[in-house]
Amino acid sequence: MQLVIISVITIFLTCISFILPKKISVGLLFISSCSMIVYLFMTNEFFDAALSLSVMFVTYFSFSVVFDHDKKLKKQQLQQKLSVTNFQIVELKKDVRRILMDIWLAGGIAGVSVICLLFLPEMIITLKYVLGYYLILMLPPFLNRLLDYLFAKVYMLPEEQVLVIISLLEARELPMEHLESIQKQSNPDMLRLHPSFAFLSERKDYTTSFATVLRLTFSGETMYLTPVNVEAWSMYWDRFIQVAQVETEKNILPIWHRSNIKRLLWKGYFAISVKGVAAYTALLSILIFLHCPWYVITVFVFLWWLFNMYIADRLLIHASDAEEVTAGELYHISQEIFSQAGITGTRLYMIDSDVYNGFATGMHIGKGTIMLTSATTKLSSSAVKAILAHEAIHIKKRDVMVNQIGRMVLMIVLGFSIFVSFDLLKQLIEQPLLFIILINLFSAIFFICLSGISQWTEIRADYLGAKLLEAGNRHMADGLKELAVAQDQATNKALQYSTFEENNHNSIERGSWLLRFMEFQFMPHPPLYWRIQQLCKEENWKSTRKAWLIARIKESWPDFFQHKRVNL
């Protein structure tokens, strides 16, 4: 109960700080957080206080995305613009059943975690905290969706050729020159739009009924609206699109249609087993409830892990609504790469998404699948070929399985270390500061090792993937550079729609030492600037591995230990 109270108080303070001016809110948050920290450590044991403190910080950082001062300033600016500019209101159809369906889906996904949270034995309190964190992280996107349904208003500024959307906590300004396409849909696609099912997407759901939907695709973001006069607004906005498109309406079946049941089950399982841990926790709760021995529990959890590995490709295909590519230029490019790599049975899928990304999945070559987002396929054929070559090596070398086995081995080592030193750890609880330091140190070592395994497979995919390309390393470097530039541009545009922020980070330039430290030590990919720079050196695999190991140490130090900065 204390954790619930702490979360509620933190949300309340975050909301109050959002209402107050930024300078005042900073002081309020500082005083309030200090007071809560003092209270927690005065009224609780050190370990309980530290866990409660972690819940407070997770709650604050989750909800600070919703209660954002930069978004508030953007909203105020747009409200002022509307007061002095001619505009047309884009009236939206309203149907309360639409938001009730969102609530029902959110409740179904969160309900599994809540049940586990209530009935999970106290002996595995760590999992309870993990479930609590997951529920906290679920709330902000759903709160955004609820507020958008209740308060969002859409305006068209014909003189400035801008679409403005103003909700309670945020607003968006979308230049029509950035509009790339319009699509009519017969109904809102609930299994694509709901926050719990979001995967590799930058979508804003402003649908307020089950009427015909207009999907507006801008550079970096996609909007879904249900205007009253669909035909008129579709024709009006269509003239801003530079490339002519075929007028077709996509038929979306209702969520309760029998053909959507399978899709719902896959997406629901994805939400509770990949985006959350409720599936594993539910299994663990049942086994503990049945008083199973520890070795039986271990075997069951391991078998479930193997099962999830086996269905990983199908799970991600259904979760992302990916469609297999079986013809066209992209198909022929992929088949050429797959043939050179010796993985001719590999399938290529495309995910409808504005995010620039591609990845490989599947336990082994026979079950290998490569997925590209639709945004990525708009890059030059040369860049797409480089990305496919990189992913093809992941399939050929079974890197998905390598990373999962590495994760499992590290978890076993960590668990065995805790088991062996359990008596020592119990004594250290009486020295709480030392205990917390050691726990964080072990956690950091775990994630650094996990990152090391993943990064090793990434640089190998760069190096060997380049051998599948005509121009070798230079081709791979140029492909990664084009991908990085497109990612930065899309991120910058998406930020400008809702805030005054700009993406100052340039992925192909060497960043600050802190950013380099985080990327080299904890991220699954080495920094792009280093990957491109290394490819341009045309070194052999042995030298590349050595250079990466040196860079993980050398590039993680502050700049005054480094040589003069090198820009690509």
Side-chain angles (χ1 to χ4, degrees):
M1 181 57 70
Q2 176 176 282
L3 299 181
V4 175
I5 294 172
I6 289 170
S7 297
V8 171
I9 292 173
T10 305
I11 295 170
F12 176 75
L13 289 172
T14 309
C15 179
I16 294 298
S17 69
F18 174 78
I19 296 171
L20 296 173
K22 192 169 185 178
K23 291 182 179 179
I24 298 175
S25 67
V26 171
L28 172 67
L29 284 173
F30 178 76
I31 294 171
S32 302
S33 59
C34 288
S35 301
M36 288 180 69
I37 291 170
V38 171
Y39 171 79
L40 288 173
F41 282 97
M42 287 183 63
T43 58
N44 295 274
E45 296 291 332
F46 185 90
F47 188 72
D48 292 335
L51 287 176
S52 300
L53 188 61
S54 68
V55 170
M56 185 179 78
F57 281 118
V58 169
T59 305
Y60 170 72
F61 286 112
S62 298
F63 280 86
S64 61
V65 177
V66 178
F67 301 106
D68 188 325
H69 274 277
D70 289 328
K71 291 180 180 179
K72 184 174 76 170
L73 291 174
K74 183 74 171 183
K75 176 186 173 182
Q76 291 172 347
Q77 183 215 42
L78 291 176
Q79 286 176 325
Q80 291 175 358
K81 180 182 284 189
L82 289 174
S83 66
V84 297
T85 307
N86 293 327
F87 62 82
Q88 295 173 269
I89 297 176
V90 182
E91 188 178 352
L92 303 178
K93 288 185 180 179
K94 284 257 184 172
D95 185 344
V96 71
R97 292 176 301 169
R98 176 66 186 86
I99 194 63
L100 289 177
M101 181 62 73
D102 278 330
I103 294 171
W104 178 76
L105 285 172
I109 298 298
V112 179
S113 297
V114 171
I115 292 171
C116 292
L117 198 61
L118 293 175
F119 295 100
L120 203 65
E122 292 296 332
M123 61 183 289
I124 46 177
I125 191 171
T126 304
L127 274 179
K128 282 200 167 190
Y129 275 90
V130 172
L131 284 170
Y133 294 150
Y134 171 64
L135 290 171
I136 290 169
L137 293 172
M138 272 190 67
L139 279 173
F142 179 72
L143 176 61
N144 250 335
R145 168 64 190 136
L146 180 61
L147 294 176
D148 286 340
Y149 172 84
L150 294 172
F151 299 102
K153 295 187 181 300
V154 184
Y155 306 89
M156 182 64 205
L157 281 57
E159 295 173 4
E160 299 189 18
Q161 297 186 353
V162 169
L163 184 68
V164 172
I165 304 175
I166 296 182
S167 189
L168 182 66
L169 302 179
E170 63 177 8
R172 272 174 164 69
E173 182 179 24
L174 300 145
M176 299 308 293
E177 63 183 14
H178 292 174
L179 183 63
E180 296 178 349
S181 67
I182 300 175
Q183 183 187 62
K184 290 181 192 174
Q185 298 182 352
S186 59
N187 288 290
D189 190 345
M190 301 292 300
L191 296 180
R192 184 186 293 271
L193 296 178
H194 197 275
S196 297
F197 304 136
F199 177 66
L200 277 181
S201 62
E202 293 292 341
R203 302 187 182 105
K204 281 300 295 181
D205 180 12
Y206 293 107
T207 61
T208 51
S209 71
F210 289 105
T212 303
V213 176
L214 282 184
R215 167 183 156 155
L216 308 178
T217 302
F218 292 85
S219 302
E221 205 164 58
T222 299
M223 307 288 153
Y224 292 80
L225 307 168
T226 48
V228 171
N229 198 337
V230 175
E231 295 297 331
W233 284 114
S234 176
M235 292 176 62
Y236 182 82
W237 288 326
D238 186 65
R239 64 192 181 91
F240 293 103
I241 301 173
Q242 296 181 357
V243 180
Q245 58 180 16
V246 180
E247 281 287 334
T248 57
E249 180 173 322
K250 185 176 181 181
N251 185 39
I252 304 295
L253 296 173
I255 190 173
W256 50 82
H257 194 277
R258 62 184 181 184
S259 61
N260 266 334
I261 299 300
K262 179 181 177 181
R263 190 170 166 228
L264 176 61
L265 292 174
W266 277 108
K267 283 180 172 282
Y269 186 74
F270 171 79
I272 64 173
S273 64
V274 178
K275 296 187 74 173
V277 294
Y280 288 97
T281 310
L283 172 65
L284 199 58
S285 301
I286 293 170
L287 294 174
I288 292 174
F289 178 78
L290 295 174
H291 303 290
C292 294
W294 68 267
Y295 53 87
V296 173
I297 294 175
T298 302
V299 169
F300 267 92
V301 171
F302 179 72
L303 290 176
W304 197 327
W305 172 74
L306 283 180
F307 170 74
N308 283 326
M309 277 285 293
Y310 181 74
I311 66 169
D313 54 336
R314 282 175 288 171
L315 181 60
L316 288 174
I317 288 168
H318 289 286
S320 61
D321 293 308
E323 296 183 358
E324 188 171 3
V325 179
T326 57
E329 182 184 2
L330 180 61
Y331 173 76
H332 293 300
I333 291 174
S334 67
Q335 293 309 302
E336 180 186 346
I337 292 292
F338 297 163
S339 177
Q340 287 180 277
I343 53 168
T344 51
T346 301
R347 296 173 298 167
L348 177 65
Y349 281 80
M350 185 167 67
I351 302 171
D352 183 12
S353 172
D354 303 313
V355 178
Y356 288 89
N357 207 339
F359 59 91
T361 183
M363 284 183 69
H364 50 79
I365 295 175
K367 284 185 62 63
T369 299
I370 291 175
M371 298 186 181
L372 298 181
T373 62
S374 53
T376 306
T377 61
K378 295 175 185 177
L379 299 174
S380 69
S381 59
S382 176
V384 171
K385 198 169 185 178
I387 295 166
L388 286 171
H390 174 96
E391 301 303 336
I393 297 301
H394 281 317
I395 298 293
K396 185 177 180 64
K397 295 297 183 179
R398 300 175 173 85
D399 286 341
V400 175
M401 187 161 54
V402 167
N403 278 284
Q404 288 296 328
I405 291 174
R407 182 188 297 271
M408 181 60 71
V409 169
L410 287 172
M411 290 181 69
I412 290 172
V413 170
L414 182 63
F416 182 74
S417 301
I418 293 173
F419 177 77
V420 170
S421 58
F422 188 72
D423 292 335
L424 177 62
L425 288 174
K426 285 198 298 184
Q427 295 176 11
L428 285 176
I429 292 178
E430 298 175 3
Q431 304 291 330
L433 184 59
L434 181 59
F435 180 79
I436 294 295
I437 290 173
L438 286 175
I439 289 296
N440 281 282
L441 180 62
F442 285 135
S443 299
I445 292 172
F446 174 81
F447 287 111
I448 288 171
C449 293
L450 200 61
S451 170
I453 296 170
S454 178
Q455 289 191 17
W456 184 77
T457 62
E458 292 299 328
I459 61 168
R460 183 175 63 179
D462 284 345
Y463 179 81
L464 296 180
K467 293 187 176 299
L468 304 177
L469 305 170
E470 296 87 347
N473 285 20
R474 185 77 253 180
H475 190 160
M476 181 64 74
D478 290 341
L480 292 178
K481 186 180 290 188
E482 185 176 338
L483 175 65
V485 170
Q487 285 175 333
D488 289 341
Q489 289 176 347
T491 302
N492 192 37
K493 285 180 180 178
L495 284 171
Q496 289 176 349
Y497 294 153
S498 59
T499 69
F500 294 111
E501 294 182 38
E502 290 191 9
N503 181 26
N504 295 319
H505 173 60
N506 188 335
S507 300
I508 60 175
E509 289 188 356
R510 188 168 177 266
S512 66
W513 78 267
L514 182 59
L515 180 63
R516 298 196 308 269
F517 172 77
M518 296 301 296
E519 288 184 317
F520 267 112
Q521 302 305 325
F522 297 103
M523 296 294 106
H525 295 72
L528 267 171
Y529 82 87
W530 183 87
R531 293 168 64 186
I532 296 169
Q533 177 180 288
Q534 189 60 36
L535 283 166
C536 292
K537 291 181 179 179
E538 299 282 353
E539 294 182 343
N540 58 37
W541 174 230
K542 184 177 180 180
S543 299
T544 300
R545 282 182 301 179
K546 183 179 177 181
W548 167 69
L549 289 170
I550 293 172
R552 285 202 89 189
I553 300 171
K554 185 178 177 182
E555 290 292 279
S556 299
W557 285 92
D559 288 331
F560 53 80
F561 288 110
Q562 304 293 327
H563 295 296
K564 187 176 180 181
R565 177 172 176 163
V566 177
N567 290 327
L568 293 172

